[in-house]
Amino acid sequence: NMGEMRNVNMKNNHGSLKAKYLEDIEGVMNYSGGVFGNIKEAVKLNVNFSKNFTIENIDEKVKKLEIFSNYSNIDLPISQKFNGVFDIKTSNGSFWVDPTLMVHFFKNSEADGKKNGYKPKTSNSYQGKIGTTTNTDTKILIISNFGDVKIK
């Protein structure tokens, strides 16, 4: 159990990690579980084969959240006040965004393919913004292989 983690490079293999607050973190989690409370500023994670990994809150003022995942589901809880852009790429996984959030897609290869009568692809790309402003300072980048991504 950790309280606040700031300006840290971390690596967690075959264990569980709990932190209430993350800010300016770069880390790797392999075969690990854990609970991250509030994510702020810039966080970059590689998450591999991690089934019990939970993010409780993403601060609406987060600057950049990057997650590269393999065989792990990623749930991103954001507030209704969130304003920013997202770039999500999935391979052999799905993407879902809460319909109550104000979302505008710039690119949605899954929906575009269905519209044009193409068969579903195993890889898809989703780009857009959440919220009312054109704030591009706040970015979420997720690349997921064999895992689902949810923004809720």
Side-chain angles (χ1 to χ4, degrees):
N1 280 350
M2 314 237 359
E4 295 182 0
M5 291 177 67
R6 289 188 172 135
N7 302 315
V8 174
N9 285 329
M10 66 162 200
K11 187 168 187 178
N12 190 36
N13 293 320
H14 303 284
S16 184
L17 177 68
K18 277 188 170 184
K20 290 182 182 177
Y21 176 93
L22 280 81
E23 181 179 314
D24 294 323
I25 301 295
E26 192 164 322
V28 178
M29 293 185 63
N30 295 316
Y31 303 95
S32 302
V35 177
F36 292 161
N38 194 24
I39 290 184
K40 288 187 151 206
E41 294 301 320
V43 173
K44 183 177 183 178
L45 297 171
N46 287 304
V47 181
N48 302 301
F49 301 95
S50 297
K51 293 193 186 285
N52 297 318
F53 170 67
T54 303
I55 298 171
E56 292 180 335
N57 182 56
I58 297 170
D59 191 90
E60 65 242 21
K61 294 179 182 151
V62 71
K63 296 288 183 230
K64 191 168 194 178
L65 172 61
E66 294 179 71
I67 300 177
F68 305 94
S69 71
N70 293 298
Y71 298 92
S72 305
N73 293 329
I74 304 297
D75 290 354
L76 305 171
I78 62 174
S79 80
Q80 295 287 335
K81 296 177 186 175
F82 184 89
N83 284 294
V85 295
F86 62 87
D87 186 353
I88 312 287
K89 292 177 178 50
T90 61
S91 180
N92 296 295
S94 65
F95 173 63
W96 180 85
V97 63
D98 184 340
T100 65
L101 295 170
M102 188 177 292
V103 177
H104 173 74
F105 283 96
F106 307 135
K107 179 180 181 182
N108 181 336
S109 65
E110 183 181 11
D112 294 344
K114 287 178 185 174
K115 227 183 328 188
N116 296 324
Y118 297 122
K119 292 181 181 177
K121 298 189 307 184
T122 57
S123 296
N124 284 294
S125 178
Y126 312 88
Q127 296 173 338
K129 72 175 184 172
I130 299 172
T132 56
T133 70
T134 56
N135 175 15
T136 56
D137 292 339
T138 300
K139 296 180 182 170
I140 295 175
L141 170 66
I142 310 292
I143 298 176
S144 176
N145 298 304
F146 296 94
D148 297 334
V149 178
K150 292 180 185 174
I151 296 178
K152 55 186 186 172

